[in-house]
């Protein structure tokens, strides 16, 4: 990716000299990567990506070679493919799609990492990543008991509720995109942090049942089934205190009308805009919030960028780690087998085919469609 993405060494980034480092025999000469083949207009297609073999560059001093086992598909990646009309860096054609990944060190020139260490990185959809040691995080299961927690958007959900919305005990909280990776965590964290009532929305009856039956939401509705304002008002007749917004559009417009005086909205995501609407809007339904309500009710509508809260990551992970260890918070995960299936799975993710975090298991082991993904079969 351009400007703000983490940098990976490319096969052409170092000129061969007599001191060019070589790879240990245990590391293959090449590995598969998923690169952007075309900038999509609207919903991407699998043909917008290309899976190809690329040489694994040797690690220069201070670098580490990682064999990726799992990487996360992230709806936010759509924002960097272009065509969303926002001031964001755009992935260049041929770039590897970035994102969180988990793997094992297979070669290291840095004293801080040894072969066999389990680490996570942000170098995305590739079988082998060569990273500066500073760009790696060591997986520490004494903090986060499941390694796949390192691939979950923990800080986004936690910071949105705790730091941005300043959630208070007893608050009524509404979360859109609640069956997604961020929303599912936000709803659970709201409950664990003392919310009085947690309401979620998602795009199918099965997902609605999952929210109330598995993730512990008090109530949920299908945002594709009738006007959102009516559905939300029926579940929150006295209004809401906090809205965790992953969608914008009609759900944000409805929430702004129903936020009580001094209510807070966390503007986290743009699913309705980045993917195009997944529903026909009911006649007369608002899709732009009426900010007159923000004035009258002294509302706070605040945008979230996770990176702004990096200094609170340790605090978030300590708290979430305790909940995970106690079995009080669930990592909602779907695992897809095989790096070659990542493009199709990404499109399916954006189309609403999955729940929770979607992880790609690079080596193509069988899918685990529900529950925690076993890493050590
Ligand atoms: N601000 C930040 O720093 C930050 C950080 C991370 C993520 N985000 C954003 O947070 C949002 C959620 O991320 P995520 O990883 O949890 O994604 P996600 O929910 O896993 O995204 C996929 C889901 O989005 C829903 N969806 C797709 N199109 C939609 C539409 N038009 N309207 C409503 N829902 C739609 C679908 O579920 P349904 O079946 O329910 O429709 C789909 O399963 C994304 O917009 C992402 O960019 C922001």
């Amino acid at each position: 990716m351009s400007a703000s993405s983490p940098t990976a060494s490319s096969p052409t980034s170092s000129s061969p000299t007599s001191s060019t480092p070589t790879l240990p025999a245990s590391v293959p000469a090449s590995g598969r990567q998923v690169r952007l083949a075309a900038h999509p207009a609207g919903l991407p297609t699998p043909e917008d990506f290309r899976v190809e073999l690329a040489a694994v560059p040797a690690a220069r001093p201070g670098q580490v070679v990682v064999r990726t086992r799992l990487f996360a598909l992230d709806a936010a990646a759509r924002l960097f493919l272009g065509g969303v009309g926002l001031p964001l860096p755009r992935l260049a054609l041929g770039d590897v799609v970035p994102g969180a990944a988990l793997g094992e060190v297979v070669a290291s020139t840095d004293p801080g990492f040894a072969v066999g260490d389990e680490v996570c990185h942000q170098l995305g959809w590739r079988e082998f990543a060569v990273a500066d040691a500073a760009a790696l995080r060591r997986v520490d299961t004494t903090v986060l008991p499941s390694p796949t927690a390192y691939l979950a958007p923990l800080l986004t959900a936690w910071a949105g509720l705790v730091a941005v919305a300043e959630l208070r005990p007893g608050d009524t909280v509404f979360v859109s995109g609640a069956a997604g990776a961020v929303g599912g965590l936000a709803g659970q964290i709201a409950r664990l942090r003392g919310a009085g009532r947690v309401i979620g929305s998602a795009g199918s009856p099965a997902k609605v049942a999952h929210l109330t039956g598995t993730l512990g939401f008090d109530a949920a509705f299908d945002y594709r089934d009738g006007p959102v304002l009516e559905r939300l008002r029926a579940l929150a007749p006295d209004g809401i205190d906090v809205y965790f917004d992953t969608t914008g559009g009609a759900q944000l417009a409805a929430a702004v009308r129903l936020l009580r005086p001094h209510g807070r909205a966390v503007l986290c995501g743009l699913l309705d805009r980045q993917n195009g609407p997944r529903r026909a809007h009911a006649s007369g339904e608002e899709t732009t919030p009426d900010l007159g309500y923000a004035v009258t009710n002294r509302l706070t509508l605040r945008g979230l960028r996770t990176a702004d809260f990096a200094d609170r990551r340790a605090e978030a992970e300590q708290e979430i780690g305790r909940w995970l260890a106690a079995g009080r918070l669930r990592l909602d995960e779907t695992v897809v087998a095989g790096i070659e299936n990542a493009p199709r799975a990404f499109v399916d993710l954006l189309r609403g085919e999955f729940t929770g975090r979607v992880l790609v298991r690079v080596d193509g082991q069988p899918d685990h469609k529900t529950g925690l993904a076993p890493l050590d079969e």
Side-chain angles (χ1 to χ4, degrees), residues 180-204:
V182 174
L185 286 166
Q188 294 182 83
I189 292 171
R191 154 68 17 81
L192 288 161
R193 276 259 173 172
R197 183 167 165 78
V198 183
I199 300 165
S201 68
S204 73

mmCIF file of all heavy atoms in Angstrom, residues 180-204:
data_model
loop_
_atom_site.group_PDB
_atom_site.id
_atom_site.type_symbol
_atom_site.label_atom_id
_atom_site.label_comp_id
_atom_site.label_asym_id
_atom_site.label_seq_id
_atom_site.Cartn_x
_atom_site.Cartn_y
_atom_site.Cartn_z
ATOM 1 N N GLY A 180 -20.715 -8.463 13.001
ATOM 2 C CA GLY A 180 -19.387 -8.360 12.401
ATOM 3 C C GLY A 180 -18.311 -8.424 13.470
ATOM 4 O O GLY A 180 -18.592 -8.562 14.672
ATOM 5 N N ALA A 181 -17.067 -8.294 13.028
ATOM 6 C CA ALA A 181 -15.936 -8.446 13.947
ATOM 7 C C ALA A 181 -15.939 -7.362 15.023
ATOM 8 O O ALA A 181 -15.836 -7.639 16.220
ATOM 9 C CB ALA A 181 -14.637 -8.395 13.141
ATOM 10 N N VAL A 182 -16.063 -6.104 14.601
ATOM 11 C CA VAL A 182 -16.028 -4.996 15.568
ATOM 12 C C VAL A 182 -17.311 -4.975 16.395
ATOM 13 O O VAL A 182 -17.278 -4.889 17.631
ATOM 14 C CB VAL A 182 -15.856 -3.646 14.821
ATOM 15 C CG1 VAL A 182 -15.979 -2.485 15.798
ATOM 16 C CG2 VAL A 182 -14.513 -3.588 14.097
ATOM 17 N N GLY A 183 -18.446 -5.075 15.714
ATOM 18 C CA GLY A 183 -19.732 -4.932 16.405
ATOM 19 C C GLY A 183 -19.963 -6.021 17.441
ATOM 20 O O GLY A 183 -20.491 -5.746 18.529
ATOM 21 N N GLY A 184 -19.572 -7.257 17.124
ATOM 22 C CA GLY A 184 -19.777 -8.346 18.077
ATOM 23 C C GLY A 184 -18.975 -8.128 19.355
ATOM 24 O O GLY A 184 -19.447 -8.416 20.467
ATOM 25 N N LEU A 185 -17.771 -7.603 19.193
ATOM 26 C CA LEU A 185 -16.959 -7.283 20.370
ATOM 27 C C LEU A 185 -17.535 -6.088 21.116
ATOM 28 O O LEU A 185 -17.593 -6.077 22.353
ATOM 29 C CB LEU A 185 -15.518 -6.985 19.949
ATOM 30 C CG LEU A 185 -14.693 -8.197 19.536
ATOM 31 C CD1 LEU A 185 -13.411 -7.759 18.827
ATOM 32 C CD2 LEU A 185 -14.346 -9.054 20.771
ATOM 33 N N ALA A 186 -17.971 -5.073 20.366
ATOM 34 C CA ALA A 186 -18.493 -3.865 21.023
ATOM 35 C C ALA A 186 -19.707 -4.206 21.897
ATOM 36 O O ALA A 186 -19.809 -3.730 23.032
ATOM 37 C CB ALA A 186 -18.845 -2.810 19.974
ATOM 38 N N GLY A 187 -20.590 -5.033 21.373
ATOM 39 C CA GLY A 187 -21.775 -5.402 22.160
ATOM 40 C C GLY A 187 -21.392 -6.148 23.430
ATOM 41 O O GLY A 187 -21.929 -5.882 24.521
ATOM 42 N N GLN A 188 -20.461 -7.070 23.306
ATOM 43 C CA GLN A 188 -20.054 -7.850 24.490
ATOM 44 C C GLN A 188 -19.313 -6.985 25.506
ATOM 45 O O GLN A 188 -19.509 -7.114 26.713
ATOM 46 C CB GLN A 188 -19.160 -9.008 24.057
ATOM 47 C CG GLN A 188 -19.866 -10.062 23.213
ATOM 48 C CD GLN A 188 -18.906 -11.201 22.882
ATOM 49 O OE1 GLN A 188 -18.702 -12.108 23.683
ATOM 50 N NE2 GLN A 188 -18.306 -11.154 21.715
ATOM 51 N N ILE A 189 -18.460 -6.097 25.001
ATOM 52 C CA ILE A 189 -17.703 -5.229 25.919
ATOM 53 C C ILE A 189 -18.653 -4.262 26.635
ATOM 54 O O ILE A 189 -18.507 -3.980 27.828
ATOM 55 C CB ILE A 189 -16.577 -4.488 25.164
ATOM 56 C CG1 ILE A 189 -15.511 -5.500 24.710
ATOM 57 C CG2 ILE A 189 -15.943 -3.394 26.019
ATOM 58 C CD1 ILE A 189 -14.451 -4.933 23.772
ATOM 59 N N ALA A 190 -19.646 -3.772 25.900
ATOM 60 C CA ALA A 190 -20.627 -2.874 26.536
ATOM 61 C C ALA A 190 -21.285 -3.591 27.717
ATOM 62 O O ALA A 190 -21.398 -3.051 28.821
ATOM 63 C CB ALA A 190 -21.667 -2.423 25.519
ATOM 64 N N ARG A 191 -21.678 -4.837 27.494
ATOM 65 C CA ARG A 191 -22.332 -5.616 28.571
ATOM 66 C C ARG A 191 -21.368 -5.800 29.742
ATOM 67 O O ARG A 191 -21.717 -5.545 30.905
ATOM 68 C CB ARG A 191 -22.783 -6.941 27.961
ATOM 69 C CG ARG A 191 -22.945 -8.149 28.825
ATOM 70 C CD ARG A 191 -24.090 -8.136 29.870
ATOM 71 N NE ARG A 191 -25.125 -7.137 29.655
ATOM 72 C CZ ARG A 191 -26.149 -7.245 28.816
ATOM 73 N NH1 ARG A 191 -26.315 -8.346 28.125
ATOM 74 N NH2 ARG A 191 -27.033 -6.284 28.682
ATOM 75 N N LEU A 192 -20.124 -6.191 29.443
ATOM 76 C CA LEU A 192 -19.150 -6.468 30.505
ATOM 77 C C LEU A 192 -18.761 -5.199 31.249
ATOM 78 O O LEU A 192 -18.355 -5.256 32.414
ATOM 79 C CB LEU A 192 -17.905 -7.140 29.905
ATOM 80 C CG LEU A 192 -18.128 -8.585 29.453
ATOM 81 C CD1 LEU A 192 -17.056 -9.032 28.462
ATOM 82 C CD2 LEU A 192 -18.139 -9.519 30.666
ATOM 83 N N ARG A 193 -18.891 -4.065 30.592
ATOM 84 C CA ARG A 193 -18.560 -2.786 31.235
ATOM 85 C C ARG A 193 -19.771 -2.155 31.908
ATOM 86 O O ARG A 193 -19.741 -0.996 32.311
ATOM 87 C CB ARG A 193 -18.011 -1.823 30.170
ATOM 88 C CG ARG A 193 -16.527 -2.026 29.910
ATOM 89 C CD ARG A 193 -15.793 -0.955 30.651
ATOM 90 N NE ARG A 193 -14.372 -1.029 30.683
ATOM 91 C CZ ARG A 193 -13.626 -0.042 31.174
ATOM 92 N NH1 ARG A 193 -14.175 1.080 31.603
ATOM 93 N NH2 ARG A 193 -12.341 -0.168 31.224
ATOM 94 N N GLY A 194 -20.877 -2.891 31.986
ATOM 95 C CA GLY A 194 -21.988 -2.436 32.818
ATOM 96 C C GLY A 194 -23.141 -1.759 32.112
ATOM 97 O O GLY A 194 -23.981 -1.129 32.777
ATOM 98 N N ALA A 195 -23.222 -1.868 30.785
ATOM 99 C CA ALA A 195 -24.374 -1.290 30.089
ATOM 100 C C ALA A 195 -25.662 -1.898 30.641
ATOM 101 O O ALA A 195 -25.692 -3.069 31.034
ATOM 102 C CB ALA A 195 -24.268 -1.563 28.585
ATOM 103 N N GLY A 196 -26.713 -1.091 30.645
ATOM 104 C CA GLY A 196 -27.994 -1.582 31.159
ATOM 105 C C GLY A 196 -28.698 -2.458 30.142
ATOM 106 O O GLY A 196 -29.327 -3.465 30.481
ATOM 107 N N ARG A 197 -28.622 -2.054 28.873
ATOM 108 C CA ARG A 197 -29.300 -2.788 27.807
ATOM 109 C C ARG A 197 -28.471 -2.643 26.541
ATOM 110 O O ARG A 197 -27.995 -1.537 26.226
ATOM 111 C CB ARG A 197 -30.696 -2.182 27.626
ATOM 112 C CG ARG A 197 -31.577 -2.872 26.601
ATOM 113 C CD ARG A 197 -33.015 -2.369 26.780
ATOM 114 N NE ARG A 197 -33.863 -2.679 25.647
ATOM 115 C CZ ARG A 197 -34.399 -3.870 25.393
ATOM 116 N NH1 ARG A 197 -34.157 -4.877 26.212
ATOM 117 N NH2 ARG A 197 -35.163 -4.071 24.342
ATOM 118 N N VAL A 198 -28.273 -3.758 25.848
ATOM 119 C CA VAL A 198 -27.459 -3.749 24.630
ATOM 120 C C VAL A 198 -28.309 -4.270 23.471
ATOM 121 O O VAL A 198 -28.832 -5.389 23.522
ATOM 122 C CB VAL A 198 -26.191 -4.623 24.783
ATOM 123 C CG1 VAL A 198 -25.323 -4.523 23.529
ATOM 124 C CG2 VAL A 198 -25.388 -4.198 26.014
ATOM 125 N N ILE A 199 -28.435 -3.443 22.446
ATOM 126 C CA ILE A 199 -29.264 -3.762 21.277
ATOM 127 C C ILE A 199 -28.343 -3.817 20.062
ATOM 128 O O ILE A 199 -27.458 -2.969 19.908
ATOM 129 C CB ILE A 199 -30.335 -2.668 21.069
ATOM 130 C CG1 ILE A 199 -31.239 -2.578 22.303
ATOM 131 C CG2 ILE A 199 -31.162 -2.936 19.804
ATOM 132 C CD1 ILE A 199 -32.073 -1.307 22.351
ATOM 133 N N GLY A 200 -28.548 -4.803 19.199
ATOM 134 C CA GLY A 200 -27.719 -4.910 18.000
ATOM 135 C C GLY A 200 -28.562 -5.026 16.753
ATOM 136 O O GLY A 200 -29.733 -5.423 16.812
ATOM 137 N N SER A 201 -27.956 -4.680 15.615
ATOM 138 C CA SER A 201 -28.622 -4.918 14.331
ATOM 139 C C SER A 201 -27.686 -5.712 13.439
ATOM 140 O O SER A 201 -26.452 -5.596 13.526
ATOM 141 C CB SER A 201 -28.998 -3.600 13.652
ATOM 142 O OG SER A 201 -27.834 -2.914 13.251
ATOM 143 N N ALA A 202 -28.281 -6.522 12.584
ATOM 144 C CA ALA A 202 -27.514 -7.318 11.623
ATOM 145 C C ALA A 202 -28.424 -7.636 10.439
ATOM 146 O O ALA A 202 -29.617 -7.352 10.485
ATOM 147 C CB ALA A 202 -26.996 -8.594 12.286
ATOM 148 N N GLY A 203 -27.824 -8.270 9.398
ATOM 149 C CA GLY A 203 -28.510 -8.346 8.113
ATOM 150 C C GLY A 203 -29.242 -9.635 7.784
ATOM 151 O O GLY A 203 -29.531 -9.879 6.606
ATOM 152 N N SER A 204 -29.576 -10.454 8.780
ATOM 153 C CA SER A 204 -30.383 -11.649 8.490
ATOM 154 C C SER A 204 -30.990 -12.156 9.790
ATOM 155 O O SER A 204 -30.462 -11.898 10.876
ATOM 156 C CB SER A 204 -29.519 -12.755 7.868
ATOM 157 O OG SER A 204 -28.677 -13.322 8.859
#
